[in-house]
Amino acid sequence: MTQIYNWEKNIDEFELNTVINAIKNDKLAILPTETVYGLAASAFSDKACKKIFEVKGRAQDNPLIVHIANKNMIYDIAEAPNEIEEKLIDSFMPGPFTLILNKKDCICNTVTCFGKTVGIRMPNNKIIHEVIKKSNIPLAAPSANISTRPSGTCIEDIKDEFYNKVDFLIDGGKCNIGIESTVVKVVDNIPVILRPGFITEDDIKKVIGCVKLSDKLLKKIDVNENVESPGMKYKHYSPNTKCYLAKNDINQINKVNDFLFSKNDNCCVVGFTEDKEYINIPDNKFICLGSKNNLEEISSNLFSCLRKIDTLNCDIAIIEGLNEKNLGLSIMNRLIKACDGNII
Ligand code: TXA
Ligand code: MG
């Protein structure tokens, strides 16, 4: 049976101890972070981490990120960072940032899928921080969604998906950032972004002076391709409804309207506040991402909007795209996957 605790206003000490004891005994807890909810287990326990893969239906070669509470925990689980890695840690942790380092043996092989590296993240959220700090256990936690589905940014969106499949659901309210952390690996002294997130290319460049983007961030990738980060190649963020992405350009609104006109299907549109009045769709078929001038707002609403698509029972959803720069790139990375490469 799944226990649901609400710690949005305060963390109940008794419940906190119950969750920590359970984690020590290979149980699973869904916990909030500032990016998305995570499906957490002890990173020391092969048995518990195997359950994460089962519950999510996750590909066996897709490693998990390990969450820590303070800098000392990094040295416990990974080989010493070099100067550039240290600078990234000091600049972006705690925060929506994951750094790939060489792992130590205490991190179980299930977490890393038998690889030599481990993704490390120090979340900036009081609830998961308290659980890690008080237990002194690093937590392996992928995004809390069944594989291929959009990530979960509030308990209401994911409780049905996980009810009776995990031991605890901890409600911490809405995740304010809304998209997952930026995943970075330093290669030949240059930080390479393997997954774009809230910490952008420009943010990293300001601190280190250089940064590279993986060339695979805006592409559909074949599952047999060799990639730096396995998560890149899998279907993700996808509603069950077939989705099309209207790429951002000056004709975007016309393109959406022409597409709507050409289809006999029952369509809905996911778009921006400013464009709503110009798009030929009834109010109840328009899902609002937020203002196109406020990328933080769009990022925070993104996954709930993608989940809402299926509740409208349409045949097709058309999603308005953004300029692919910085946070816009991170959002477009998710949308291209959500649309499975269908672009208009
Ligand atoms: O914001 C986040 O990062 C959230 C919250 C819960 O912390 N977590 C998250 O985990 O998004 P997940 O498992 O959904 O995505 C982790 C991504 C995957 O694309 C995976 O392939 C990549 O990070 N990754 C993990 N460990 C890696 C490693 N050692 N080398 C390369 N990529 C790695
Ligand atoms: Mg995920």
Side-chain angles (χ1 to χ4, degrees):
M1 250 259 300
T2 303
Q3 288 276 357
I4 303 182
Y5 295 152
N6 189 319
W7 295 353
E8 193 175 349
K9 294 216 172 66
N10 76 300
I11 302 173
D12 181 277
E13 256 331 277
F14 176 81
E15 291 173 357
L16 176 64
N17 288 332
T18 310
V19 170
I20 287 173
N21 270 328
I23 286 172
K24 286 181 178 161
N25 287 295
D26 306 322
K27 304 280 195 251
L28 304 186
I30 289 186
L31 296 166
T33 84
E34 78 278 37
T35 57
V36 299
Y37 275 78
L39 171 56
S42 163
F44 297 145
S45 165
D46 252 316
K47 182 177 169 198
C49 292
K50 279 194 177 120
K51 281 202 258 177
I52 292 181
F53 281 79
E54 272 163 37
V55 167
K56 269 193 71 121
R58 187 178 177 95
Q60 296 293 326
D61 69 345
N62 195 5
L64 307 176
I65 292 173
V66 174
H67 298 70
I68 52 162
N70 53 55
K71 207 171 161 185
N72 280 338
M73 283 178 103
I74 299 179
Y75 306 114
D76 296 340
I77 63 176
E79 299 300 337
N82 66 27
E83 211 179 300
I84 290 172
E85 289 161 343
E86 191 86 35
K87 218 168 172 181
L88 290 167
I89 292 167
D90 292 337
S91 308
F92 301 121
M93 291 190 191
F97 184 80
T98 296
L99 185 62
I100 310 290
L101 293 173
N102 288 323
K103 80 162 192 126
K104 283 189 175 163
D105 287 344
C106 60
I107 295 300
C108 69
N109 283 325
T110 304
V111 166
T112 59
C113 304
F114 290 87
K116 290 196 174 71
T117 59
V118 59
I120 297 180
R121 167 158 134 73
M122 195 191 296
N124 190 8
N125 169 286
K126 196 167 165 357
I127 292 177
I128 189 164
H129 175 82
E130 277 304 306
V131 175
I132 303 168
K133 193 178 83 175
K134 193 157 186 201
S135 63
N136 203 28
I137 295 177
L139 295 179
S143 51
N145 55 277
I146 300 296
S147 281
T148 80
R149 300 277 302 144
S151 304
T153 49
C154 61
I155 284 291
E156 296 73 44
D157 280 355
I158 48 178
K159 66 171 187 267
D160 293 343
E161 220 159 287
F162 288 106
Y163 199 72
N164 281 345
K165 294 189 180 145
V166 300
D167 303 282
F168 296 93
L169 273 167
I170 309 299
D171 192 348
K174 185 179 172 186
C175 303
N176 43 16
I177 288 182
I179 56 169
E180 306 90 337
S181 62
T182 307
V183 177
V184 170
K185 184 175 187 181
V186 177
V187 182
D188 299 329
N189 287 330
I190 299 173
V192 183
I193 298 182
L194 304 182
R195 179 178 69 184
F198 197 76
I199 304 285
T200 64
E201 187 186 355
D202 283 357
D203 295 331
I204 297 172
K205 201 168 180 187
K206 257 183 227 150
V207 173
I208 307 293
C210 57
V211 64
K212 270 190 192 161
L213 288 170
S214 158
D215 60 356
K216 304 200 170 67
L217 302 182
L218 294 171
K219 286 186 190 151
K220 192 177 165 185
I221 300 163
D222 189 86
V223 285
N224 298 315
E225 243 180 271
N226 210 355
V227 289
E228 308 103 301
S229 183
M232 290 174 164
K233 61 186 178 177
Y234 291 112
K235 187 170 178 203
H236 204 344
Y237 314 119
S238 308
N240 296 319
T241 309
K242 184 161 190 176
C243 296
Y244 289 86
L245 181 62
K247 280 263 229 181
N248 177 258
D249 59 40
I250 45 165
N251 277 325
Q252 191 173 24
I253 293 173
N254 288 341
K255 215 161 45 183
V256 172
N257 282 332
D258 289 349
F259 194 79
L260 284 168
F261 188 72
S262 72
K263 292 276 168 193
N264 278 324
D265 310 85
N266 178 7
C267 299
C268 67
V269 172
V270 181
F272 310 120
T273 322
E274 296 86 350
D275 296 353
K276 184 170 181 260
E277 62 180 302
Y278 305 106
I279 293 177
N280 301 325
I281 193 97
D283 281 1
N284 62 356
K285 294 283 170 61
F286 186 86
I287 299 171
C288 189
L289 278 168
S291 164
K292 59 178 144 192
N293 299 315
N294 187 346
L295 296 186
E296 280 86 0
E297 183 189 16
I298 293 174
S299 145
S300 120
N301 291 335
L302 185 69
F303 289 131
S304 278
C305 287
L306 290 180
R307 282 175 174 269
K308 197 164 173 205
I309 290 174
D310 288 338
T311 68
L312 298 186
N313 293 318
C314 290
D315 306 313
I316 285 176
I318 304 158
I319 308 177
E320 285 198 272
L322 287 161
N323 187 321
E324 292 153 2
K325 184 86 191 117
N326 287 314
L327 188 52
L329 170 85
S330 311
I331 294 167
M332 286 297 277
N333 167 269
R334 277 43 172 200
L335 289 180
I336 286 170
K337 283 174 190 270
C339 295
D340 204 19
N342 298 319
I343 292 172
I344 59 171

